[in-house]
Amino acid sequence: MADASFGFSTLQMGELAIGKHVQYILSVEKKKDSFESVVMDHLRMNGAYWGLTTLDLLGKLDSVNADEVISWIMTCQHESGGFSGNIGHDPHILYTLSAVQVLALFNKLDVLDIDKVATYITGLQNEDGSFSGDMWGEVDTRFSYIAICCLSILRCLDKINVEKAVSYILSCKNLDGGFGCTPGGESHAGQIFCCVGALAIMGSLHHVDKDLLGWWLCERQVKSGGLNGRPEKLPDVCYSWWVLSSLIMIDRVHWIDKEKLVKFILDCQDLENGGISDRPDDAVDVFHTYFGVAGLSLLEYPGLKAIDPAYALPVNVVNRIFFGR
Amino acid sequence: MHGRPRKASKPEDEAASTAKAQKLRALQTQFFSFHHSKIYTKEAVELSAKLLEINPESYTAWNYRKLAVEHYLSQPDCNPESVKSVLDDELRVVESALRQNFKSYGAWHHRKWVLSKGHSSIDHELRLLDKFQKADSRNFHAWNYRRFVAELMNRSEKDELKYTEDMIYTNFSNYSAWHNRSVLLSALLEKKAEGFLLKENLLPEEYEFIHQAIFTDPDDQSGWFYHLWLLDQTVTTDHPLLVSTWPAHGSDVFLVGDRCQNGSFSPFTTVLSDSGSFPIVLYFNQPVKGVSSSTVIIECGFNKNEELLWEPLSVSNLQTAQVWVAHLKFPTSELDSSVEISVGYSKEIVSPRGSQYSHPSTFSFKVHVQPVERDSSRVSVAENILWREENFKAYRAQSEESIPIVSFDQLCIKNGHESTPIVSFDQLCIKNGHESTASNWQTEALAKEVECFRELLSLMDCKIGKLTLARLLTAYDVMSFPFANKLDEYSSVLLRKMTSSEESLLQHCFQYKDSVSSAIGNPICLRLNNLSLSRIRAFERLLWVQILDLSHNELESIEGLEAMQLLYGLSLGNNKLRSLTALEPLRKLKSLRVLDLSYNQIGDHSIDTTRYLCSSPLSHSAGSELNDVALINYWEAFYMFKDLKLNQLDIVGNTVADEKFKSVLVKIMPSLKRLDGQLLD
């Protein structure tokens, strides 16, 4: 199962239809009248992040008009400093992170009033170190990750209580080494990514039992080579990100069969119309297109920019934030 | 977004979709105008219900409904009857939304919010949950909601435990139920609830239970992970424990300056020190906090306890680590002294979850200091190590020189001579023919499990079962079970076996042949080459090593190496190290002077798997000391090498090591004398 060589023979495997996927993403942006599109209206900010990060990984971020995107993003910011999923909707921490991430892609973090955004986020930390999604108080470790990732990108992580944030996340650790959404919540790859990513950014990965969690994570790989999110569930391309990035952050990715996973992701492409789906022959969407491409980047598929497993942004963008001038 | 088949859209489908979309848009627009104008009439609220029925993910509508409820509750004319009716409406809207999408975060949270207003009966909620359980027994939203309701309405853990039992008997493959069971049992054990006082009464029953699941379907993962948890509960204690120390209890440590003459000291415990101090290493079974000069008391003639600074060997600055070190200064004059160290008598050493250190203990050793002779014509011992086969000779005990044999127990095994409880699953070491340190019920339970699974696995090929058994057998120190190199298990077993007896260890002990250093003080070089090692383990038994040859293996990681505080020379040549950040453990090795990294893969990979396991600004574990603009593109080299005081470095054979990179290294490490075999000026 261990990957003996790090080179790939692209003759034997399918290929990534880069051009098709770029076209697909650009077309989704324009097609706002279908029912599917309207039903996802409220999370357009997330959609922007998925689509634009994919374009950047494929080297095609310049296919979009940055100024248009940025001015739309800023109209989604509320008095409180938080961002909504789209114009008219209420602010929420989910969309605040996506907004900041997209601005980072365009190297335009300077359009932000950083204190304003930081105030919104720090206001969402609770006594026990957890984070709420918005003023209505839903608590979930997803929001811990979001808060920590966002403030870190804005270089002001010290504005929250880091020690309590860490201890809350640890209180969500389970018997199998994984993490759930709240204390006692079942381990789930998505939540694991959020907790491991948050701990990574806070320099606290030594709290993770890497061997135990690594084992649980590598058992997500099924016969077809794809990854599922929990035991006895179906594989799904989005787990190629959540499971894979977690494995990479704890340095246990050599415990899965990388070649088989690459093949699974490539099999999920719609080679005619572009885009990637959750499973082979299912309908495509921007969400899975992003996770498929990001997963391939983590697997060092040739021709793609490298992505950072904790910040979920291209490595050059992260380096620019922390080391650039 | 999930599970929809891919099909070409026909024009009539598109037309229908556009029509639906227009309807929804109109609804949304109207909703927004009510919401932004804060209109909460019955008609307006009805509209939001219609919207949520079509699209339960439209989160702003749930917010609006909460505002509408709060608005209503603040009215002077509201009474308990009408409040009940309003809240009932909310619950109905949630149920209708859940029918549309039973995984809707917004819907479930709204229900919790309504319930926290003090409404609905526990029976009603449990009945609702039963419906969801039947539809999808793995729906984690429903399980979370169940835990929420149980807590809100004070349902007993024992009743909930019975529920998980019922669910499991309905279908063994219910990971969610097993998980919930582990949560409940942990809580009951921690509370020391009645009937749950002793693990030894509880666990055998749980083993019986899980066997039923595993034997029904050995390939189903649900049972195996729960079983692993039971094994862990059997073996480990939550409380932190000291596993190993250097110097070891009862040992004699000989400290010599870098130039010395005569004496007959064992190369195993002779430490060269050019810093006037030697490390004291404490190796615990898990990361701990609170190690300081008030929780670890050192009594020795030549140093004051209060001056000692204990340092955690971990990346984080949160003062938590599995291995701690302090440096004890010794005088330059001749000395024969006893040192006694007491650990954990005051209760402040704790695990991150607050479990206190148990079994306080004391260990002691003797320190002998040899006076330093200043002779500038002599070259320092082993300053330049050439890691070639012909430069090492096997260590031969007794026959050649009259060097006192070091007791193997003093070298490798842990803290006390009194019996200690089993420390952790990995460190469990029940040797054949030796007195086991485990108490009876634990040994019995494990023996039973090994028996049980040996039988199962002889009947069927079950991968995950084999791994569990492998861990059990590692505990039993038996080597005969064959398996592939999955999960680095092979390396782990190999190293444990090698360090488990004097004979096997000595086979890997060599000394450097340099004629100058054939004088005393030529430390043992542990050579572990060509063993296909993918990972290094058993550090608690290797704390004494000063020179280590790991060349020609499959190492991608040196995780844990920071524990080897005595390391002076290290070869990692011809391995599979992929990035500079993988060198993080070396940063804590204050004595390291010679390092060979030649022929690895540093620079070949675009993805760095140790990026977040190293000290850097990205993980907020290093500051912004990097001020030199010219070094920004070499930030990994900067952070990894700036604290190392290497004299000799080999890095040839790595893509990253071009001339520019090498000149950067020379800049970062002013102490470097030799780079890739060349003397620097």
Side-chain angles (χ1 to χ4, degrees):
Chain A
M1 260 206 169
D3 172 24
S5 74
F6 55 90
F8 288 103
S9 162
T10 43
L11 289 168
Q12 290 165 306
M13 304 186 313
E15 281 196 21
L16 182 65
I18 293 181
K20 292 275 182 185
H21 299 315
V22 172
Q23 267 176 14
Y24 168 72
I25 290 171
L26 295 173
S27 74
V28 162
E29 203 279 329
K30 296 191 184 78
K31 203 168 67 166
K32 299 189 211 171
D33 297 324
S34 71
F35 182 69
E36 284 80 38
S37 182
V38 178
V39 132
M40 311 261 232
D41 213 44
H42 61 280
L43 50 70
R44 194 173 165 76
M45 193 62 75
N46 290 155
Y49 160 74
W50 297 324
L52 294 169
T53 310
T54 308
L55 288 177
D56 199 6
L57 292 174
L58 299 173
K60 296 276 189 254
L61 187 61
D62 51 7
S63 323
V64 300
N65 183 328
D67 290 329
E68 261 178 40
V69 176
I70 292 167
S71 73
W72 165 75
I73 289 177
M74 295 316 288
T75 61
C76 292
Q77 187 171 30
H78 285 242
E79 263 311 295
S80 57
F83 288 78
S84 55
N86 205 342
I87 299 172
H89 280 276
D90 290 349
H92 194 284
I93 208 176
L94 285 167
Y95 311 111
T96 307
L97 174 63
S98 291
V100 168
Q101 283 173 316
V102 172
L103 291 173
L105 283 177
F106 289 124
N107 198 10
K108 287 283 189 195
L109 288 167
D110 51 9
V111 313
L112 285 173
D113 175 349
I114 291 183
D115 280 335
K116 196 168 171 190
V117 183
T119 305
Y120 175 72
I121 292 179
T122 55
L124 292 169
Q125 184 168 33
N126 302 307
E127 257 313 295
D128 60 1
S130 67
F131 283 85
S132 300
D134 63 9
M135 59 180 276
W136 297 107
E138 182 188 1
V139 169
D140 189 317
T141 45
R142 284 180 296 147
F143 308 144
S144 298
Y145 167 74
I146 287 170
I148 286 151
C149 180
C150 194
L151 288 179
S152 189
I153 291 173
L154 299 175
R155 313 301 309 278
C156 55
L157 185 64
D158 53 343
K159 293 203 168 171
I160 53 152
N161 186 326
V162 170
E163 209 176 319
K164 281 195 168 173
V166 170
S167 71
Y168 179 76
I169 289 173
L170 295 181
S171 74
C172 299
K173 193 158 40 139
N174 293 320
L175 73 119
D176 45 28
F179 296 84
C181 52
T182 43
E186 186 184 339
S187 297
H188 178 282
Q191 309 294 150
I192 290 171
F193 162 74
C194 290
C195 292
V196 171
L199 290 173
I201 294 172
M202 294 188 290
S204 303
L205 280 178
H206 57 279
H207 288 299
V208 174
D209 185 337
K210 302 188 204 65
D211 288 334
L212 184 59
L213 179 57
W215 181 0
W216 191 92
L217 286 170
C218 76
E219 287 296 327
R220 298 306 107 238
Q221 187 159 41
V222 299
K223 274 207 189 73
S224 64
L227 306 175
N228 62 25
R230 292 188 280 163
E232 310 305 316
K233 289 242 148 195
L234 293 172
D236 183 331
V237 153
C238 64
Y239 294 113
S240 308
W241 169 262
W242 287 317
V243 173
L244 200 56
S245 57
S246 302
L247 281 170
I248 284 183
M249 285 189 275
I250 60 173
D251 195 17
R252 298 291 187 272
V253 70
H254 55 287
W255 287 0
I256 60 159
D257 185 331
K258 293 194 221 175
E259 275 192 39
K260 271 181 116 180
L261 180 57
V262 169
K263 183 172 184 308
F264 176 83
I265 298 173
L266 294 174
D267 279 347
C268 293
Q269 296 178 95
D270 180 342
L271 294 169
E272 260 187 66
N273 303 309
I276 298 178
S277 56
D278 57 346
R279 250 156 253 139
D281 303 321
D282 270 357
V284 303
D285 56 54
V286 177
F287 176 84
H288 289 96
T289 306
Y290 162 69
F291 287 116
V293 172
L296 288 172
S297 167
L298 289 179
L299 294 165
E300 297 185 67
Y301 190 87
L304 299 178
K305 265 179 148 189
I307 190 167
D308 181 291
Y311 291 91
L313 286 167
V315 167
N316 74 296
V317 173
V318 176
N319 285 352
R320 186 169 64 201
I321 292 169
F322 287 93
F323 303 112
R325 299 268 154 173
Chain B
M1 278 204 289
H2 288 95
R4 292 176 302 137
R6 183 183 306 170
K7 51 184 182 200
S9 57
K10 301 181 224 123
E12 53 265 34
D13 289 336
E14 283 200 30
S17 172
T18 312
K20 259 171 91 178
Q22 278 173 348
K23 246 185 99 187
L24 184 57
R25 259 222 201 288
L27 210 62
Q28 239 169 236
T29 312
Q30 179 66 326
F31 160 73
F32 277 141
S33 86
F34 286 142
H35 177 46
H36 296 148
S37 312
K38 302 201 205 304
I39 295 171
Y40 305 117
T41 61
K42 194 162 170 224
E43 175 199 49
V45 173
E46 256 302 302
L47 186 100
S48 72
K50 266 210 219 104
L51 176 58
L52 287 168
E53 215 178 331
I54 301 175
N55 187 7
E57 296 313 295
S58 193
Y59 68 99
T60 307
W62 292 113
N63 296 350
Y64 168 81
R65 288 194 76 90
K66 292 183 187 64
L67 287 167
V69 168
E70 283 188 341
H71 171 83
Y72 182 78
L73 291 177
S74 69
Q75 299 297 306
D77 61 338
C78 80
N79 56 65
E81 279 262 333
S82 55
V83 167
K84 184 177 187 306
S85 150
V86 163
L87 295 180
D88 270 335
D89 262 341
E90 294 310 308
L91 294 178
R92 252 197 305 275
V93 173
V94 169
E95 275 175 64
S96 142
L98 287 177
R99 249 176 267 129
Q100 179 67 252
N101 173 12
F102 58 65
K103 299 183 185 178
S104 167
Y105 283 99
W108 285 106
H109 182 250
H110 193 71
R111 198 172 186 88
K112 284 187 200 170
W113 185 85
V114 171
L115 243 69
S116 65
K117 298 256 170 243
H119 188 57
S120 186
S121 70
I122 189 170
D123 283 327
H124 181 89
E125 296 310 302
L126 292 181
R127 256 179 289 137
L128 182 76
L129 282 167
D130 275 335
K131 265 194 265 175
F132 279 104
Q133 182 72 216
K134 286 198 177 69
D136 175 10
S137 63
R138 300 292 303 282
N139 183 345
F140 66 81
H141 295 272
W143 279 100
N144 284 343
Y145 186 70
R146 196 188 173 86
R147 278 182 282 269
F148 166 81
V149 167
E151 196 181 315
L152 188 70
M153 304 194 183
N154 280 314
R155 195 161 141 82
S156 82
E157 270 133 351
K158 292 188 197 165
D159 284 335
E160 282 300 290
L161 201 65
K162 177 81 181 42
Y163 178 77
T164 63
E165 209 177 301
D166 293 337
M167 284 305 105
I168 290 166
Y169 273 121
T170 310
N171 176 13
F172 280 130
S173 171
N174 192 338
Y175 195 98
S176 309
W178 285 111
H179 164 77
N180 211 35
R181 196 172 175 80
S182 77
V183 172
L184 293 162
L185 280 175
S186 299
L188 287 164
L189 283 169
E190 199 173 308
K191 280 207 273 196
K192 298 205 197 299
E194 199 194 299
F196 293 88
L197 277 168
L198 291 169
K199 278 190 192 178
E200 54 191 276
N201 296 332
L202 188 64
L203 292 183
E205 269 176 46
E206 289 302 305
Y207 275 119
E208 285 295 321
F209 194 17
I210 196 63
H211 287 171
Q212 290 180 55
I214 292 178
F215 279 84
T216 306
D217 183 358
D219 280 315
D220 190 290
Q221 296 196 344
S222 319
W224 287 105
F225 281 105
Y226 188 75
H227 184 260
L228 193 67
W229 178 70
L230 288 178
L231 290 174
D232 202 61
Q233 289 296 301
T234 308
V235 169
T236 30
T237 156
D238 282 330
H239 299 278
L241 276 175
L242 195 60
V243 173
S244 175
T245 65
W246 192 88
H249 177 69
S251 61
D252 284 90
V253 178
F254 300 91
L255 298 163
V256 290
D258 58 358
R259 299 168 197 116
C260 40
Q261 267 188 331
N262 54 10
S264 48
F265 305 119
S266 163
F268 282 91
T269 52
T270 306
V271 180
L272 306 164
S273 172
D274 55 6
S275 59
S277 66
F278 68 95
I280 300 181
V281 183
L282 300 178
Y283 195 108
F284 294 90
N285 66 336
Q286 60 178 290
V288 293
K289 275 165 108 148
V291 173
S292 69
S293 54
S294 41
T295 51
V296 178
I297 314 287
I298 300 188
E299 268 183 51
C300 72
F302 54 89
N303 209 307
K304 286 208 191 64
N305 179 61
E306 301 76 53
E307 287 171 3
L308 234 66
L309 188 65
W310 285 96
E311 212 194 304
L313 294 181
S314 75
V315 163
S316 162
N317 49 12
L318 290 178
Q319 292 294 306
T320 310
Q322 191 172 357
V323 188
W324 288 75
V325 70
H327 295 270
L328 193 62
K329 287 203 185 63
F330 60 90
T332 49
S333 50
E334 187 164 339
L335 180 77
D336 283 297
S337 179
S338 220
V339 179
E340 195 178 86
I341 303 187
S342 306
V343 183
Y345 283 91
S346 87
K347 304 273 179 208
E348 280 134 34
I349 299 179
V350 287
S351 75
R353 281 172 97 159
S355 303
Q356 279 177 351
Y357 186 83
S358 61
H359 294 88
S361 55
T362 303
F363 66 100
S364 59
F365 53 91
K366 291 211 187 75
V367 173
H368 311 274
V369 179
Q370 186 72 355
V372 171
E373 298 257 331
R374 303 227 167 256
D375 185 349
S376 52
S377 62
R378 291 274 207 98
V379 177
S380 280
V381 168
E383 193 184 74
N384 180 25
I385 299 182
L386 297 166
W387 301 89
R388 290 199 283 268
E389 189 67 41
E390 60 266 21
N391 287 340
F392 291 96
K393 65 174 201 273
Y395 173 72
R396 264 183 284 270
Q398 310 111 291
S399 46
E400 287 192 4
E401 292 119 16
S402 55
I403 297 170
I405 304 160
V406 169
S407 153
F408 179 73
D409 283 333
Q410 287 172 15
L411 258 193
C412 276
I413 319 292
K414 31 184 208 20
N415 52 336
H417 45 285
E418 67 265 21
S419 77
T420 39
I422 300 173
V423 158
S424 89
F425 199 40
D426 281 334
Q427 283 126 18
L428 184 60
C429 187
I430 305 174
K431 295 198 205 163
N432 293 330
H434 288 243
E435 270 312 303
S436 119
T437 51
S439 68
N440 272 335
W441 79 267
Q442 286 162 306
T443 332
E444 259 176 54
L446 287 176
K448 228 172 146 188
E449 292 311 298
V450 173
E451 193 51 51
C452 184
F453 291 111
R454 272 220 150 104
E455 201 192 306
L456 173 73
L457 293 168
S458 68
L459 297 171
M460 47 191 82
D461 187 38
C462 170
K463 183 193 74 175
I464 188 171
K466 286 201 172 108
L467 286 166
T468 308
L469 187 55
R471 292 194 125 212
L472 272 170
L473 293 177
T474 307
Y476 267 15
D477 223 22
V478 173
M479 255 308 272
S480 55
F481 198 77
F483 46 84
N485 189 14
K486 161 99 174 177
L487 310 192
D488 302 320
E489 280 295 316
Y490 169 78
S491 303
S492 182
V493 174
L494 188 86
L495 286 165
R496 289 211 181 280
K497 193 183 185 218
M498 188 210 73
T499 53
S500 64
S501 80
E502 185 168 335
E503 207 181 293
S504 55
L505 185 66
L506 284 176
Q507 276 173 28
H508 296 274
C509 291
F510 290 73
Q511 277 177 302
Y512 198 66
K513 264 191 211 161
D514 186 304
S515 57
V516 170
S517 58
S518 63
I520 60 123
N522 185 5
I524 293 291
C525 172
L526 188 66
R527 299 190 70 218
L528 303 174
N529 335 95
N530 291 294
L531 295 173
S532 302
L533 293 174
S534 59
R535 170 93 359 108
I536 318 156
R537 303 277 201 199
F539 291 105
E540 69 276 12
R541 301 181 188 178
L542 298 173
L543 299 178
W544 55 274
V545 177
Q546 296 180 65
I547 304 187
L548 180 62
D549 187 351
L550 287 167
S551 59
H552 297 277
N553 279 297
E554 319 271 314
L555 294 171
E556 289 185 35
S557 158
I558 49 173
E559 196 181 291
L561 202 73
E562 64 274 4
M564 296 178 70
Q565 287 288 299
L566 293 178
L567 270 187
Y568 171 92
L570 173 67
S571 174
L572 293 166
N574 293 91
N575 274 287
K576 298 204 168 146
L577 296 172
R578 307 158 49 110
S579 64
L580 291 169
T581 58
L583 304 175
E584 169 69 30
L586 302 180
R587 290 182 57 245
K588 308 281 190 187
L589 301 179
K590 299 282 181 252
S591 308
L592 192 67
R593 298 286 174 268
V594 176
L595 177 64
D596 184 348
L597 295 172
S598 58
Y599 301 100
N600 277 279
Q601 296 172 7
I602 304 174
D604 290 337
H605 295 275
S606 55
I607 296 295
D608 183 355
T609 61
T610 39
R611 195 162 153 96
Y612 289 96
L613 297 172
C614 78
S615 208
S616 88
L618 298 170
S619 57
H620 298 86
S621 46
S624 36
E625 304 104 328
L626 183 48
N627 291 315
D628 189 345
V629 182
L631 292 179
I632 282 188
N633 289 335
Y634 298 95
W635 65 269
E636 287 117 328
F638 175 79
Y639 282 104
M640 289 307 107
F641 287 106
K642 70 177 171 66
D643 295 326
L644 288 181
K645 298 211 168 30
L646 296 180
N647 292 336
Q648 176 191 342
L649 174 66
D650 288 276
I651 200 159
V652 65
N654 288 285
T655 315
V656 76
D658 55 19
E659 287 311 308
K660 178 86 208 284
F661 184 77
K662 284 166 50 157
S663 68
V664 164
L665 287 181
V666 171
K667 195 171 174 186
I668 295 172
M669 287 187 288
S671 62
L672 201 60
K673 296 200 180 85
R674 248 176 245 270
L675 180 57
D676 281 337
Q678 290 199 319
L679 265 172
L680 303 167
D681 29 50

